[in-house]
Amino acid sequence: MGDVINLKRFRKRVEREQSSKQAKANRARFGRTKSERDLEKRRAKRARDLLDQHRTDGEDAS
């Protein structure tokens, strides 16, 4: 005879494994580290500041 297994435990384990795989995929797809977000903010601010320095009247160019 085979071993007796608890189906409830088995189902929960399978669900946890699938959930962790989905979480890993989501992290790879959407996630960025804090340092990456900060770097992007600094680059955007620098680009915005450089554009502002080149305005002719100091007003919006619209």
Side-chain angles (χ1 to χ4, degrees):
M1 288 192 77
D3 293 334
V4 176
I5 60 170
N6 187 338
L7 290 178
K8 191 175 190 178
R9 268 191 213 155
F10 178 76
R11 286 186 192 125
K12 285 184 178 185
R13 185 178 69 211
V14 169
E15 186 178 334
R16 271 194 307 270
E17 289 171 356
Q18 288 176 347
S19 176
S20 74
K21 285 180 186 178
Q22 182 65 39
K24 183 178 180 181
N26 285 344
R27 283 192 299 270
R29 192 167 153 203
F30 298 110
R32 293 189 303 168
T33 63
K34 186 174 183 178
S35 61
E36 290 171 336
R37 288 191 306 263
D38 290 343
L39 179 63
E40 182 64 30
K41 284 181 187 177
R42 285 195 312 261
R43 285 181 178 164
K45 183 181 181 329
R46 175 145 169 79
R48 195 172 46 249
D49 290 345
L50 285 173
L51 284 176
D52 286 344
Q53 291 173 2
H54 292 287
R55 290 193 190 273
T56 55
D57 294 342
E59 298 177 7
D60 287 339
S62 342

